[in-house]
Amino acid sequence: MSRKNLSGIVQQKGTQHVVMRTLLFLTLGVFCLYYLIPLIVMIATSLKSLEEIRAGSLLSLPQKVTFDAWTKAWSSACVGVRCDGLQPFFWNSVAMVVPAVTISTILGALNGYALTKWRFPGADIIFALILFGAFIPFQVILLPMARTLGVLGLAGTIPGLILVHVIYGLAFTTLFFRNFFIGVSSGIIQAAQIDGAGFFGIFFRIVLPMSLPAIVVTVIWQFTQIWNDFLFGIAFTVGDSNPVTVALNNVVNTSTGVKEYNVDMAAAIIAALPTLAVYVIAGAYFVRGLSAGAVKG
Amino acid sequence: MSDIRLEKVTKNFGATEVIKGIDLAIDPGEFVVLVGPSGCGKSTLLNLIAGLETITGGDIYIGGKRVNDTPPRDRDIAMVFQSYALYPTKTVRNNITFGMVSRNIPKADQDAAVQEISTLLQIERLLSRKPGQLSGGQRQRVAMGRALVRKPDVFLFDEPLSNLDAKLRIEMRTEIKKLHQRLGKTIVYVTHDQIEAMTLASRIAVMDNGHIRQFADPATIYEDPVDLFVAGFMGSPPMNMIPGKIGAQDGQYVVSTSNPDEAPLDFPLPPALYERASAMDGRDVILGLRPEAIFAAGTELPGANRFIFERPVSVVEPTGPDTMILFHHAGLDVVARVRPEDSRPEGTLFSFEADMEKAKLFDAKTTLRI
Ligand SMILES: Nc1ncnc2c1ncn2[C@@H]1O[C@H](COP(=O)(O)OP(=O)(O)OP(=O)(O)O)[C@@H](O)[C@H]1O
Ligand SMILES: [Mg+2]
């Protein structure tokens, strides 16, 4: 139903209705502003020169827009002793997040599909155990994970970090997909079985195309989690293999006498941009995904 | 062509027994219709034959081969689901061809098959739409198309016409019948529609609560029901079941029925029933008279064993070709089917004639036919 256009629904009219609407939008506007102010301040600061920052107030808009801070943050700011900017670490993050999100999403979909549509003895217990994984705090697995990566020879590398994120993310992706597939009529799977398709045939040709909303929700969730992760990044990578979040911290903490707020702000926005982009691109699906169980036939 | 044989088949869902020991032998090319009240296990039985549910006990044979452990795709069946179960992301065309794609049928054959089936089902204009953009009846026809497009050994239909309008349903019914005559495939067909059951079936299986009560050709089910359940299930409006007592009067056997406010009626039994009635002398029975066996006195050609009585009309229900007249008797509303021109307004004293040749007797205790 979520795909149906709702604009045809008859709505209330009259003065009372108009007053309530105005009030509603005013309230929404106030909250909107409240949430947007930090972002506005960040963007404004990143476009100012250092002198202007020192002279003006925090909230004022830039008098003379300059992208020097952005260029510096991207390609020449010092991260620890290395002064190449965020750029190499940004690509580290990309190289980590793409496989980590892809693998954990596909495995989660496969898990959810097997747990709901190909019921096997003990499926509920296995699901409960997987679910339990979603509640384990990050800190608890640091030491065992470090040991595991050491044994596998992946310590301090990007593939090692990918493995960590895939394993940790599996609990969430499985949960998302299981809850989506439980709302999908089993009759569709049965029809496909009668039509001669097997486990993977049904998965790739029937189930996966149906679960686009769930995929989008999972990808957004996983991307945000993995891209923004700091703890695993700092614990399981070293120096050159750091993800962008760790590098950002290092940019801000590398003291060269003067605090360059504009560079810090630009670096922070650069580090946050990909998640923002994912929300904007896939956001429309995010809302749909939440009510996706209602879509049938 | 394959036969289907069920032997002592049972099915439990957890602790609840849904199919309670069914024996059924369906001949090759037969058209079997399953009827029964909602929740009696018809869909479950189809799922067992299709292999979509694992049977708890007993054996299923298709084409002489035991298929208890054969997965659905290897049973060579096609099924129309009660819930349609169309693939929501595929177009109508791809819904129909999915089974052929899975089985690697050449593209040219697929196109020809789609063409033929979409013309038959009048869905040519819908081929590029998604199921979400179809009405209920259109979805049902697509579901039919998906099953019919393949030419399997066995067809299973679960209420395939329930959502169509009356005209289309009659058309489709005829098409299914023609299709069966042309292809000669074995068909198991579930329906709640009596006319569908009577017109399509070579044999009807009447189910109740996980059992099969009677499995016979439509005429036998209608004229020779084995018990009250089958008698009451088939026929619309249903058979009148008048409680009474068997007694002998002047060398005749009668069923005496009483009425708190009105005069009792003694229905004389036809001589053919004397022998069986004598064994039940003095016992409580149910007298079964279908509405068409009670009509306005003198409106049919005279025959043997007619019984004429008078009762005030309590309700008049015109249906078009016939009019149903209800009257109170023995604590229930008895229905008589009369010609519209013989109808009289409510309250009028009406002279009814019952054709006792058509009467059926049931034991009130065991509900079995006497
Ligand atoms: N998966 C299941 N788990 C538990 N009980 C079930 C399950 N499927 C069906 N049942 C029960 O089995 C009984 C028979 O169901 P079934 O769907 O076969 O009925 P039906 O005869 O097809 O009814 P209808 O005419 O309404 O379609 C019902 O009482 C139903 O509640
Ligand atoms: Mg059913």
Side-chain angles (χ1 to χ4, degrees):
Chain A
M1 287 283 111
S2 64
R3 271 174 226 192
K4 277 242 174 85
N5 192 351
L6 297 183
S7 62
I9 294 178
V10 176
Q11 297 200 338
Q12 209 180 12
K13 297 234 163 53
T15 29
Q16 197 198 345
H17 177 66
V18 172
V19 171
M20 294 307 285
R21 280 271 128 165
T22 317
L23 224 62
L24 175 68
F25 281 110
L26 269 179
T27 321
L28 288 176
V30 169
F31 275 104
C32 229
L33 213 61
Y34 179 76
Y35 279 104
L36 282 179
I37 277 182
L39 182 67
I40 293 169
V41 168
M42 275 178 80
I43 294 174
T45 309
S46 75
L47 295 175
K48 291 176 189 169
S49 63
L50 259 185
E51 295 80 57
E52 204 186 318
I53 293 176
R54 250 174 265 134
S57 95
L58 187 69
L59 283 171
S60 68
L61 293 177
Q63 305 294 314
K64 199 170 132 303
V65 174
T66 160
F67 289 96
D68 293 350
W70 284 76
T71 319
K72 184 167 184 196
W74 179 247
S75 54
S76 66
C78 289
V79 181
V81 290
R82 190 176 162 184
C83 290
D84 293 336
L86 281 182
Q87 192 188 0
F89 305 99
F90 186 90
W91 295 122
N92 278 351
S93 272
V94 172
M96 168 198 68
V97 81
V98 171
V101 169
T102 312
I103 297 172
S104 61
T105 303
I106 289 179
L107 287 182
L110 209 50
N111 278 352
Y113 167 62
L115 282 170
T116 51
K117 301 299 172 212
W118 293 77
R119 306 277 304 162
F120 49 92
D124 284 329
I125 295 172
I126 290 192
F127 177 62
L129 289 176
I130 292 177
L131 195 58
F132 187 63
F135 296 108
I136 298 176
F138 277 30
Q139 297 82 333
V140 174
I141 67 165
L142 283 182
L143 285 177
M145 196 47 107
R147 176 101 185 89
T148 310
L149 290 180
V151 169
L152 293 175
L154 293 175
T157 66
I158 292 178
L161 195 56
I162 294 174
L163 181 69
V164 175
H165 280 303
V166 166
I167 294 175
Y168 201 82
L170 218 49
F172 291 94
T173 57
T174 302
L175 176 68
F176 286 153
F177 278 102
R178 192 204 89 113
N179 287 354
F180 177 80
F181 289 141
I182 213 132
V184 170
S185 150
S186 300
I188 293 171
I189 311 294
Q190 296 181 334
Q193 278 177 279
I194 289 192
D195 268 343
F199 181 88
F200 285 104
I202 297 175
F203 178 67
F204 285 111
R205 285 192 287 176
I206 306 288
V207 168
L208 221 47
M210 279 178 69
S211 49
L212 189 63
I215 293 175
V216 171
V217 173
T218 312
V219 165
I220 291 181
W221 172 266
Q222 282 297 91
F223 190 93
T224 316
Q225 292 295 310
I226 297 175
W227 184 275
N228 288 342
D229 164 71
F230 179 76
L231 186 62
F232 287 160
I234 200 165
F236 298 129
T237 58
V238 286
D240 281 352
S241 63
N242 277 343
V244 73
T245 44
V246 177
L248 173 66
N249 177 63
N250 295 346
V251 166
V252 176
N253 287 341
T254 306
S255 53
T256 47
V258 200
K259 203 110 196 79
E260 293 177 294
Y261 286 113
N262 50 357
V263 176
D264 293 352
M265 294 295 182
I269 296 174
I270 288 173
L273 227 41
T275 41
L276 214 61
V278 166
Y279 267 106
V280 172
I281 294 167
Y285 283 97
F286 191 74
V287 178
R288 277 190 203 167
L290 296 180
S291 59
V295 182
K296 212 182 144 196
Chain B
M1 268 199 286
S2 295
D3 65 322
I4 303 173
R5 217 162 70 243
L6 311 192
E7 286 177 2
K8 300 196 182 57
V9 168
T10 58
K11 174 67 189 173
N12 299 355
F13 286 115
T16 41
E17 197 174 20
V18 174
I19 302 292
K20 306 174 179 173
I22 282 190
D23 290 297
L24 198 61
I26 298 170
D27 297 332
E30 207 178 351
F31 197 132
V32 169
V33 172
L34 280 180
V35 295
S38 188
C40 72
K42 303 180 295 295
S43 297
T44 308
L45 194 63
L46 281 198
N47 285 344
L48 290 174
I49 297 173
L52 296 170
E53 298 279 0
T54 312
I55 65 174
T56 308
D59 294 300
I60 298 183
Y61 299 86
I62 297 179
K65 206 175 115 238
R66 185 169 172 278
V67 293
N68 286 25
D69 305 312
T70 310
R73 63 168 158 168
D74 299 328
R75 293 194 185 191
D76 203 15
I77 43 173
M79 182 162 174
V80 179
F81 289 81
Q82 194 169 5
S83 59
Y84 317 150
L86 300 176
Y87 311 125
T89 56
K90 294 192 180 298
T91 59
V92 168
R93 174 185 296 277
N94 292 342
N95 260 281
I96 293 175
T97 54
F98 183 73
M100 295 187 288
V101 172
S102 299
R103 293 183 160 85
N104 300 316
I105 308 243
K107 185 82 174 63
D109 295 356
Q110 291 183 18
D111 290 343
V114 169
Q115 185 57 43
E116 183 195 342
I117 220 71
S118 55
T119 312
L120 179 74
L121 297 170
Q122 305 169 23
I123 50 175
E124 302 107 310
R125 289 183 304 109
L126 310 175
L127 286 176
S128 52
R129 292 210 210 159
K130 297 271 177 71
Q133 303 162 316
L134 301 177
S135 76
Q138 292 170 334
R139 288 181 204 183
Q140 198 153 34
R141 274 179 282 158
V142 175
M144 287 271 285
R146 189 173 59 182
L148 295 179
V149 77
R150 287 179 41 230
K151 306 274 186 291
D153 262 358
V154 175
F155 282 109
L156 305 175
F157 292 102
D158 202 345
E159 303 189 29
L161 307 183
S162 58
N163 258 325
L164 305 184
D165 62 67
K167 181 168 167 286
L168 196 56
R169 182 184 311 199
I170 292 169
E171 275 176 45
M172 287 296 144
R173 196 170 75 203
T174 314
E175 288 304 331
I176 292 179
K177 184 142 194 168
K178 279 194 210 151
L179 204 81
H180 177 244
Q181 283 164 355
R182 206 174 74 218
L183 300 176
K185 307 282 186 180
T186 314
I187 296 182
V188 185
Y189 186 107
V190 173
T191 181
H192 281 287
D193 184 325
Q194 310 244 340
I195 317 257
E196 248 170 71
M198 297 294 287
T199 51
L200 290 175
S202 60
R203 279 194 286 175
I204 297 178
V206 184
M207 279 186 74
D208 176 35
N209 196 11
H211 291 288
I212 287 186
R213 291 292 187 110
Q214 189 170 8
F215 181 44
D217 60 279
T220 309
I221 295 277
Y222 195 76
E223 291 299 337
D224 247 340
V226 292
D227 60 14
L228 273 179
F229 180 84
V230 177
F233 196 80
M234 293 306 283
S236 169
M239 184 186 276
N240 298 299
M241 296 178 176
I242 309 162
K245 224 184 233 338
I246 289 196
Q249 271 179 10
D250 323 323
Q252 284 192 335
Y253 281 98
V254 297
V255 177
S256 331
T257 60
S258 60
N259 213 10
D261 308 323
E262 326 236 358
L265 284 179
D266 291 339
F267 288 88
L269 289 176
L273 282 175
Y274 282 1
E275 194 180 324
R276 279 177 272 176
S278 66
M280 296 288 289
D281 198 0
R283 302 254 289 275
D284 286 333
V285 292
I286 306 281
L287 175 68
L289 277 173
R290 293 205 182 270
E292 64 267 27
I294 310 175
F295 37 88
T299 59
E300 302 267 326
L301 290 176
N305 301 302
R306 297 292 170 81
F307 174 57
I308 296 179
F309 57 97
E310 287 187 331
R311 278 279 178 267
V313 173
S314 74
V315 178
V316 180
E317 292 175 348
T319 65
D322 300 302
T323 296
M324 304 298 157
I325 293 192
L326 277 64
F327 60 93
H328 287 299
H329 184 66
L332 35 97
D333 284 320
V334 179
V335 185
R337 174 177 280 175
V338 306
R339 295 182 310 188
E341 59 268 32
D342 297 327
S343 173
R344 293 288 174 274
E346 277 113 28
T348 330
L349 198 62
F350 196 94
S351 188
F352 294 99
E353 182 174 339
D355 181 358
M356 295 309 291
E357 285 292 335
K358 299 241 176 85
K360 322 215 175 336
L361 272 185
F362 301 90
D363 188 325
K365 250 203 239 72
T366 62
T367 77
L368 291 179
R369 178 88 179 278
I370 298 168

